[in-house]
Amino acid sequence: MRNRSDLYTLMAKKEAATKAEKMRELRNITAAHNQAEMLSERLRTILDERQVKGPVLAAQLRSASSLNTKIAAEAAVQSERKVELSKKLEQSRTEFARQDYKTQYLVNAAAQARAEEEDEREAREMASRPVPRR
């Protein structure tokens, strides 16, 4: 049979692997969130630059209006995506924090179990020694 410290150590390693997976997921969500934010900002900048200035022909106005509508729609989609990713990012951070706590708890439990096993081992050694005679 294994020692408690060995079991806690194995459990901690398993949780550390899960923690690494959560970290990878968190990094991917963060990257997607940042990309959506940058794209949304860029589209809004383009839309601001495309504002009609001065007199223009009706055909140019229709063309600009059509393209501006498409750009505005895509900017709105990216803004919605950013909001969804913000929520998902917060959930992922919470899960990562929970996983980190669980991993740390198991590492501490393994260290404590090792210390207790060492104390027990020393106590057995002391008990097995013959009592010195006077």
Side-chain angles (χ1 to χ4, degrees):
M1 179 159 164
R2 290 188 174 261
N3 296 332
R4 274 186 354 179
S5 63
D6 292 341
L7 291 175
Y8 279 131
T9 301
L10 290 174
M11 290 169 59
K13 286 181 181 181
K14 179 183 174 197
E15 294 303 322
T18 305
K19 179 183 166 185
E21 183 180 315
K22 297 283 183 193
M23 176 61 103
R24 196 169 27 258
E25 180 183 320
L26 181 63
R27 249 192 333 265
N28 290 342
I29 293 171
T30 302
H33 177 266
N34 290 341
Q35 182 182 11
E37 187 174 13
M38 285 181 7
L39 187 56
S40 175
E41 199 60 38
R42 180 69 181 131
L43 288 171
R44 293 194 191 289
T45 302
I46 290 171
L47 195 58
D48 288 342
E49 291 172 358
R50 291 190 49 81
Q51 294 298 320
V52 177
K53 296 174 181 112
V56 293
L57 297 176
Q60 291 173 331
L61 188 59
R62 277 193 303 270
S63 174
S65 174
S66 174
L67 186 56
N68 288 349
T69 303
K70 290 177 184 177
I71 291 172
E74 183 60 30
V77 167
Q78 291 302 320
S79 293
E80 288 176 21
R81 182 170 179 248
K82 184 181 82 166
V83 169
E84 290 173 11
L85 286 170
S86 293
K87 291 176 185 175
K88 196 172 181 181
L89 184 62
E90 188 60 36
Q91 288 174 342
S92 184
R93 284 182 178 152
T94 303
E95 289 175 21
F96 179 76
R98 189 176 303 126
Q99 191 67 41
D100 184 45
Y101 176 78
K102 190 175 183 180
T103 302
Q104 193 61 41
Y105 177 82
L106 288 170
V107 166
N108 292 341
Q112 183 179 1
R114 263 192 299 284
E116 289 173 3
E117 289 168 0
E118 184 63 30
D119 290 345
E120 289 173 11
R121 191 171 14 260
E122 287 176 7
R124 282 194 309 268
E125 284 179 16
M126 292 297 279
S128 67
R129 290 184 184 165
V131 177
R133 293 188 184 184
R134 293 186 190 196

